[in-house]
DNA sequence: CTAGGGTTAG
């Protein structure tokens, strides 16, 4: 068992001042005592205060402040900025009070600065109050509040104020537009604000901002975050002026919304067709994500080469994305190698490695790296926990997962969010402790939300628990009625329980909402080319050959006791028909294609857009032995490494 | 006072 306490935390609690903190007051000469002379009544202290602020000596500046009878606007401005930089809310409140007494309470310039300061010091109520009390609101004051509220996640409030602003007749400027566009996606509420985004889109065009790069790039990003890929690309195409940021935003949009091919294509276009927009590290991170999504090792290596040539290989986010890319393309060792060569690492780089081992099913290694990170003196982030708990889940480490979950609050003062609860529900649910998983949800101190219920429903499918699945899906249909996956999971469960009437009912519900099941698809990369398979398309010229090979293999397997598992078929058909359907699954076609076309001894690498079905799993195990081939399959959740008739997941997935 | 990015769960 691993020790889950953190030596780092013990250390930092024993010393009151962290050693890395610069000791500003003691190392600087006491300027103030030299210059400050209370008897000298005619002195103008404004300049002294200002220079102290610029040096970062806020405390001393505050000591001088009472001696200045007429502080100027500029003096207050620097004091306010200094409070932000020093991260001191109490000093900020002092300065604020002082400025009110000095008669600057209606100064819109200082109001803007104060709002920015409170926003940076996470005191949004104070920011709001400044706004409310300022009668003469310039566009700067409005924008400052919009910015503050957007950063704090109060997008809806911004949009309400924006409406009011329009009613009063205050014209927006380019800054206003970027903030309100961001506000549409910076909202915690469950209802989509896409319609507002579209409305603002219209305002922007009406007011002639269609060639403003910042505004239009924000718009691309807004649509991207709503998953509206075609809207985003329309906006992008319409932009008369583009720069690196615009290109990066569009590439990121494709990479994050299931269009990795388009992302790579746009990257190619960027390199070939533009002169002033040269890809930078941010661009490359998204391009690497696209390679990860495609599981295209060859593409990934080419991009890695480009990164090296462009000298972007020492930038932390790029390296972390590289680690992830290699791991997700099935080359965990290369990911580890990239990590080992890093000169400097941060939490994110460690998280990349933790999750990499997790998706490959190496739970123990993942926990080990997690602990090593802590030992090196880094504090785990909430994502570290999502990653390591996910790793426990894949490996079936229930006890370890529980301990880590408990250590979150106890040792690291990180309060579990929905993501962590979703991991725990998944961990317990998969391990067939469904009641305990349900209990976790009941005991949650925050609103469960779709991720948590989704985890429960997923586990219910694995263990075919109709009752609990009905409970979970009832909530899910309310929370995210347009997510087809939930309906499909429920029909799967009903089908397995032979409740065909119910299967029909849920399918109708799915159709009534205009949704459809995501068709299963598998990809394989052979000699730098990617081939895609579904069970219905017959585009591949070798398709007959593939079906024949699978039939032959299936018969040989049957002789050795294989019984096709047809649970995944959602139609009430006879056994023979079901067997035929299962044998045509896209993954088997891809495996067969690999057997025929990949060079001898080469590992067959397949990527799938869904979870592996049980029959494909057992057939692939058999083939790995029969054909003496290593087969690596990445399904939506994790890797399966088939070798000599066994799978790295230990049949637990 | 403006825009894009790293690690995650089913």
């Amino acid at each position: 068992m691993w020790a889950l306490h953190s030596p780092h935390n013990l250390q930092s609690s024993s010393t009151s001042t962290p050693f890395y903190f610069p000791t500003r007051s003691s190392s600087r000469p006491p300027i103030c005592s030299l210059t400050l002379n209370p008897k000298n009544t005619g002195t103008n202290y404004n300049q002294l205060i200002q220079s102290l602020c610029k040096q970062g000596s806020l405390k001393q500046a505050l000591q001088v402040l009472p001696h200045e009878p007429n502080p100027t606007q500029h003096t207050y401005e620097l004091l306010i900025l200094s409070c932000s930089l020093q991260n001191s809310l109490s000093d900020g409140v002092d300065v604020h009070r002082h400025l009110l007494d000095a008669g600057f309470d209606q100064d819109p310039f200082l109001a803007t600065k104060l709002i920015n300061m409170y926003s940076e010091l996470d005191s949004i109520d104070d920011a709001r109050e400044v706004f409310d009390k300022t009668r003469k609101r310039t566009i700067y004051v409005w924008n400052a509040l919009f910015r503050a509220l957007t950063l704090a996640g109060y997008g809806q409030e911004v949009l309400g104020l924006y409406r009011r602003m329009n009613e009063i007749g205050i014209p927006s400027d380019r800054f206003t537009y970027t903030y309100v566009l961001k506000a549409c996606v910076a909202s915690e509420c469950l209802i989509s604000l896409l319609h507002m985004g579209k409305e603002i889109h219209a305002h922007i065009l009406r007011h002639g901002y269609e060639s403003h790069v910042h505004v239009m790039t924000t718009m691309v990003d807004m649509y991207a975050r709503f998953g509206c890929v075609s809207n985003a690309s329309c906006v992008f195409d319409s932009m008369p002026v583009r720069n690196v940021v615009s290109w990066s935003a569009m590439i990121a949009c494709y990479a994050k919304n299931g269009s990795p091919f388009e992302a790579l294509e746009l990257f190619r276009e960027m390199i070939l067709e533009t002169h002033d927009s040269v890809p930078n590290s941010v661009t490359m991170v998204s391009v690497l994500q696209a390679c990860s999504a495609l599981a295209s090792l060859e593409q990934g290596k080419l991009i890695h080469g480009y990164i090296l040539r462009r000298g972007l290989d020492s930038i932390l986010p790029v390296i972390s994305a590289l680690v992830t890319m290699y791991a997700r393309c099935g080359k965990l060792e290369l990911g580890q190698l990239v990590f080992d060569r890093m000169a400097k690492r941060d939490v994110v780089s460690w998280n990349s490695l933790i999750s990499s081992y997790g998706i490959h099913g190496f739970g123990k290694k993942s926990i080990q790296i997690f602990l090593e990170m802590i030992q090196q003196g880094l504090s785990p982030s909430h994502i570290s926990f999502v990653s390591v708990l996910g790793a426990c889940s894949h490996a079936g480490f229930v006890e370890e997962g529980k301990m880590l979950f408990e250590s979150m609050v106890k040792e690291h003062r990180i309060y579990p969010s929905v993501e962590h609860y979703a991991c725990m529900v998944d961990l317990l649910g998969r391990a067939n402790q469904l009641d305990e998983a349900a209990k976790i949800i009941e005991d949650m101190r925050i609103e469960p939300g779709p991720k948590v219920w989704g985890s429960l429903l997923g586990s219910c499918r694995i263990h075919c628990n109709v009752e609990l699945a009905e409970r979970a899906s009832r909530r899910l249909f309310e929370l995210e009625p347009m997510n087809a996956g939930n309906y499909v999971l429920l029909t799967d469960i009903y089908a397995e329980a032979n409740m065909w009437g119910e299967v029909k009912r849920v399918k109708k519900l799915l159709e009534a909402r205009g949704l459809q099941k995501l068709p299963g698809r598998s990809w394989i990369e052979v000699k730098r080319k990617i081939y895609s398979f579904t069970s219905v398309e017959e585009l591949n010229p070798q398709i007959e050959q593939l079906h024949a090979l699978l039939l032959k293999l299936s018969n040989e397997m049957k002789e050795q006791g294989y019984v096709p598992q047809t649970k995944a078929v959602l139609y009430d058909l006879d056994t023979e028909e079901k067997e035929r359907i299962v044998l045509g699954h896209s993954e088997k076609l891809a495996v067969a294609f690999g057997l025929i076309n990949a060079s001898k001894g080469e590992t067959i690498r397949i990527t799938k857009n869904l979870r592996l079905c049980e029959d494909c799993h057992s057939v692939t195990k058999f083939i790995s032995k029969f054909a003496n081939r290593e087969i690596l399959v990445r399904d939506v959740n994790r890797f399966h490494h088939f070798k000599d008739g066994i799978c790295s997941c230990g049949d637990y997935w």
Side-chain angles (χ1 to χ4, degrees), chain A residues 522-524 526 533 546 549-550 553 585-598 604-607 612 616 619-624 627 629-633 642:
Chain A
S522 299
W523 294 265
I524 182 169
V526 177
F533 294 89
L546 301 181
L549 176 60
L550 287 171
L553 286 167
H585 276 178
S586 67
E587 191 221 319
K588 297 193 184 77
L589 293 171
V591 172
F593 185 84
L595 285 176
I596 296 172
N597 298 290
I604 294 175
R605 297 162 187 280
I606 288 164
T607 311
L612 264 182
C616 283
V619 167
T620 312
K621 280 199 289 186
F622 173 85
I623 293 177
S624 72
R629 276 279 195 160
E630 284 186 42
I631 302 170
L632 194 58
V633 181
F642 297 93

Side-chain angles (χ1 to χ4, degrees), chain A residues 522 533-536 538 543-558 562-569 575-593 613-620 622-623:
Chain A
S522 299
F533 294 89
T534 65
S535 51
V536 282
E538 306 210 334
I543 196 75
E544 304 280 329
Q545 203 186 342
L546 301 181
H547 281 301
L549 176 60
L550 287 171
L551 196 61
K552 186 179 141 243
L553 286 167
S554 167
N555 288 331
E556 281 166 18
M557 284 169 61
K558 280 182 182 165
Y562 155 74
V563 180
Q565 314 231 357
T566 55
K567 284 190 242 167
V569 181
T575 316
E576 203 173 306
E577 191 61 9
K578 281 188 179 181
E579 278 186 33
R580 203 187 56 77
I581 291 176
V582 172
L583 198 61
H585 276 178
S586 67
E587 191 221 319
K588 297 193 184 77
L589 293 171
V591 172
F593 185 84
C613 92
E614 239 169 274
D615 189 66
C616 283
H617 198 263
S618 52
V619 167
T620 312
F622 173 85
I623 293 177

Side-chain angles (χ1 to χ4, degrees), chain A residues 32 74 110 176 225 256-257 339 372 375 476 529 531 566 590 593 613 619 643 645:
Chain A
C32 158
H74 187 52
L110 289 180
T176 317
R225 284 173 205 266
K256 290 215 161 126
N257 286 294
F339 181 86
E372 200 183 320
Q375 243 160 28
L476 281 166
K529 254 192 96 176
Y531 300 84
T566 55
F593 185 84
C613 92
V619 167
K643 192 183 174 184

Side-chain angles (χ1 to χ4, degrees), chain A residues 224 227-230 232-233 250-267 286-287 289-294 523:
Chain A
C228 303
V229 181
S230 54
S233 78
M250 195 59 226
I251 293 173
C253 170
Y254 284 131
K256 290 215 161 126
N257 286 294
S259 308
F261 277 113
E262 288 81 352
L264 292 178
E265 188 46 44
L266 196 63
F267 172 63
S286 292
V287 174
Q289 279 178 345
C291 299
S292 304
L294 272 179
W523 294 265

Side-chain angles (χ1 to χ4, degrees), chain A residues 267-370:
Chain A
F267 172 63
R268 214 181 59 89
E269 201 183 312
M270 181 183 183
I271 293 179
L272 297 178
E273 290 171 29
T274 69
H275 317 286
D276 39 3
S277 299
V278 182
N280 62 16
S281 65
V282 181
T283 324
M284 296 323 293
V285 167
S286 292
V287 174
L288 285 171
Q289 279 178 345
C291 299
S292 304
L294 272 179
S296 169
L297 184 60
E298 292 305 323
Q299 275 298 332
K301 282 180 173 168
L302 288 175
I303 298 298
H304 191 174
Y306 178 83
I307 288 169
L308 289 168
R309 286 198 298 282
R310 288 287 322 284
L312 297 169
D313 57 316
S314 55
I315 293 165
L316 275 181
V318 175
I319 313 175
S320 302
L322 269 173
V323 171
T324 305
M325 183 276 290
Y326 278 120
R328 299 196 87 96
C329 290
K331 284 283 186 188
L332 186 52
E333 329 83 68
L334 285 181
Q336 174 79 63
L337 196 69
V338 171
F339 181 86
D340 290 340
R341 290 188 180 166
M342 290 177 79
K344 221 181 133 215
R345 301 177 184 120
D346 66 358
V347 204
V348 179
S349 359
W350 285 91
N351 289 350
S352 300
L353 200 66
I354 292 167
S355 66
S356 295
Y357 277 99
I359 53 169
H360 280 271
F362 296 106
K364 206 168 161 173
K365 185 85 183 167
S366 183
I367 297 175
Q368 193 194 317
I369 293 162
F370 173 82

